[in-house]
Amino acid sequence: VSYRLVKSKFLMYQIPLSPYSEKLYRSWKNNPDNISSIVVSDKYIEGKLDIQNLNNSLERFIRDHILFNSHIESILGKLYWVKNSIISKIDYFKTPLSNKEIFIYIKKFFNLEKGPLYRNAVIRINANKYRIIALMHHTIINGITADYFLKELSNYYNDESYTVELSSNLQLLRLNNLFNEMSENIRINKHKYEAFWKEKLSDTEAVSLDFLKICKRERLVNSSRGLNLPMDQITRVGEIRFNFGKDVLLKLSKLRKKYKTTPYLFGQNIYAILINLYTGKNKFCINYSVSIAKSLKFIYGAQINTSLIPYDFNKIDNVIEIIEQSRDFNRTLKKNEIKYSDFPINFLLPLFNNQNLLTASFDQAFVRIKSIEFANLKTFINY
């Protein structure tokens, strides 16, 4: 077996990392103080919050979820999930914090090799109002499963006898089986993955976006003194953010059936058009995040890969044709039970002589705006 289960007073284990967890780990290793991998939940609570009950609820939740209670260790050259030595308690602040103090608390980076990979704060505003900030590293949670965390935390708080359905032993078995299956799939089908991507990305041009000037916010937060920090210093990522209004979404709903497009794909296509117009490149690719389908449940953490979609403007005369080109490519991504977007990006990049394929990224922020549901308390989301 690939994990070791030691029968003692305390459950101990070594679970091999999946190729996708390893990718996130390597990314952290290269830039350990990058805060863009921190998932944040920020709520206001009104009523008589039972701090001790909340602390106990979080402790039970963490104890019941294997990966949430783990960190990463290198053992004999291989990476494993290993149980944390402690379960951290809530950081309780009895007096309000300034926006600057809150930001300093949030931006503390996580150490994936020591853990814990979560941090929770309760800030007392007054006798009847609190602010709860939950911080988690992306390796143990993603945007899609963040609502599970809030729902389950509510269940633990509202019921002292509540516990997760899957036992620790069953979680260990499923984690081990899935992560080994992922690694085995990559090993067996590596040549097929490589042949597919070599064909699809042949003659792809490198794109430089150095001409872009990142827009810097004058003030990151509203406070009496203000906190003047440019966005690229905070995240180390230059971003162009946008959304679609109701009128555009209505038009897209009409196009969806005919052209099999979505707001996500439509936005990605517009981005490709802009890159073509501003760089003069006709054959390039855009990278995007993709969830691994078999691992969407909360217990598996964030099994996320970076995949690529090629664009060839030598074969495009109008917007409809670019929609059809990206649609047709997406249809080729799965064949005979092989999903080519699952090929780990760290395996894919070396095939192309260090060509910069990751310059242009496109992602959709998909986080359900779900609230905590503590009994006899009102919750408000801090946007």
Side-chain angles (χ1 to χ4, degrees):
V1 295
S2 298
Y3 73 88
R4 302 171 188 174
L5 186 60
V6 180
K7 291 186 178 295
S8 64
K9 183 178 179 181
F10 302 102
L11 183 67
M12 304 299 291
Y13 50 82
Q14 294 174 3
I15 309 169
L17 264 66
S18 73
Y20 313 104
S21 296
E22 185 170 340
K23 179 180 74 74
L24 287 171
Y25 169 81
R26 301 294 181 191
S27 177
W28 168 81
K29 195 73 172 175
N30 291 332
N31 189 9
D33 59 348
N34 181 10
I35 67 171
S36 64
S37 292
I38 298 177
V39 178
V40 183
S41 173
D42 191 358
K43 318 290 181 187
Y44 284 110
I45 298 286
E46 285 189 359
K48 299 297 181 182
L49 180 64
D50 187 338
I51 302 296
Q52 185 60 48
N53 182 25
L54 180 58
N55 218 349
N56 292 339
S57 301
L58 272 166
E59 183 175 340
R60 288 159 47 218
F61 174 88
I62 293 164
R63 187 181 63 240
D64 287 349
H65 292 82
I66 294 293
L67 286 195
F68 221 82
N69 195 24
S70 302
H71 62 279
I72 298 170
E73 289 186 14
S74 178
I75 302 173
L76 299 177
K78 294 185 178 181
L79 294 170
Y80 295 90
W81 288 105
V82 177
K83 186 177 181 179
N84 293 337
S85 59
I86 62 169
I87 294 180
S88 292
K89 294 185 178 296
I90 291 172
D91 295 314
Y92 181 43
F93 300 92
K94 296 183 179 180
T95 57
L97 301 182
S98 68
N99 286 330
K100 184 174 183 179
E101 289 172 325
I102 291 173
F103 179 67
I104 290 172
Y105 178 83
I106 289 174
K107 68 179 286 192
K108 293 178 183 177
F109 59 87
F110 291 103
N111 189 331
L112 270 63
E113 293 176 342
K114 293 184 179 179
L117 305 185
Y118 57 85
R119 186 165 60 251
N120 301 288
V122 173
I123 305 166
R124 186 177 183 269
I125 309 299
N126 56 47
N128 206 48
K129 187 174 183 180
Y130 301 82
R131 185 172 178 178
I132 297 179
I133 300 177
L135 309 169
M136 298 148 281
H137 194 272
H138 193 30
T139 49
I140 60 173
I141 195 170
N142 60 42
I144 296 176
T145 59
D147 62 326
Y148 174 91
F149 167 75
L150 298 174
K151 179 182 177 182
E152 286 296 279
L153 180 58
S154 301
N155 290 333
Y156 278 87
Y157 182 89
N158 296 331
D159 184 354
E160 293 184 359
S161 64
Y162 185 84
T163 187
V164 68
E165 291 183 4
L166 290 178
S167 68
S168 296
N169 285 334
L170 189 54
Q171 286 184 56
L172 281 170
L173 181 63
R174 292 191 180 184
L175 288 165
N176 178 74
N177 287 345
L178 179 61
F179 294 169
N180 276 330
E181 180 184 324
M182 289 174 170
S183 297
E184 187 67 5
N185 171 61
I186 302 301
R187 187 188 68 81
I188 293 175
N189 296 305
K190 188 171 183 288
H191 294 303
K192 293 180 180 179
Y193 281 118
E194 291 176 343
F196 174 87
W197 285 111
K198 284 180 179 178
E199 175 192 350
K200 297 300 181 182
L201 300 180
S202 63
D203 302 324
T204 300
E205 301 172 276
V207 174
S208 173
L209 302 180
D210 291 343
F211 65 90
L212 286 174
K213 293 181 179 180
I214 298 171
C215 179
K216 299 179 179 180
R217 294 185 185 182
E218 292 183 358
R219 294 181 183 274
L220 176 67
V221 294
N222 296 319
S223 67
S224 57
R225 292 178 298 174
L227 181 60
N228 296 317
L229 285 174
M231 183 58 66
D232 57 332
Q233 285 186 17
I234 298 168
T235 65
R236 301 181 185 272
V237 175
E239 296 181 349
I240 301 174
R241 301 186 182 188
F242 71 95
N243 54 40
F244 292 132
K246 292 182 179 179
D247 54 338
V248 175
L249 292 174
L250 180 61
K251 293 177 182 178
L252 285 174
S253 67
K254 297 177 181 178
L255 290 173
R256 185 165 189 167
K257 290 183 179 179
K258 186 174 182 180
Y259 297 106
K260 306 299 181 184
T261 191
T262 64
Y264 175 86
L265 291 175
F266 186 71
Q268 191 180 67
N269 292 335
I270 291 175
Y271 185 39
I273 292 171
L274 290 173
I275 291 174
N276 169 251
L277 291 174
Y278 280 94
T279 68
K281 302 293 184 180
N282 288 322
K283 196 168 184 181
F284 56 89
C285 63
I286 291 174
N287 73 81
Y288 62 99
S289 297
V290 56
S291 297
I292 308 304
K294 294 181 179 180
S295 62
L296 293 180
K297 291 184 178 180
F298 180 84
I299 65 167
Y300 299 117
Q303 303 301 322
I304 307 293
N305 192 30
T306 299
S307 192
L308 301 165
I309 179 169
Y311 287 92
D312 187 354
F313 279 81
N314 295 311
K315 302 178 180 178
I316 292 173
D317 291 322
N318 54 60
V319 175
I320 297 301
E321 288 184 1
I322 192 174
I323 290 175
E324 292 175 336
Q325 187 181 99
S326 60
R327 177 201 63 196
D328 292 344
F329 172 77
N330 284 322
R331 287 175 175 173
T332 69
L333 284 176
K334 186 172 182 179
K335 184 179 181 181
N336 297 329
E337 300 304 317
I338 298 178
K339 194 171 183 180
Y340 292 103
S341 58
D342 287 355
F343 192 46
I345 190 68
N346 49 304
F347 285 79
L348 191 156
L349 289 180
L351 303 177
F352 297 95
N353 300 319
N354 296 319
Q355 185 185 85
N356 193 351
L357 299 177
L358 300 182
T359 302
S361 302
F362 186 88
D363 276 300
Q364 176 182 13
F366 182 69
V367 180
R368 295 182 178 92
I369 308 300
K370 187 176 180 61
S371 186
I372 299 172
E373 298 177 355
F374 292 166
N376 303 317
L377 296 172
K378 293 181 179 180
T379 308
F380 305 91
I381 298 165
N382 183 11
Y383 291 97

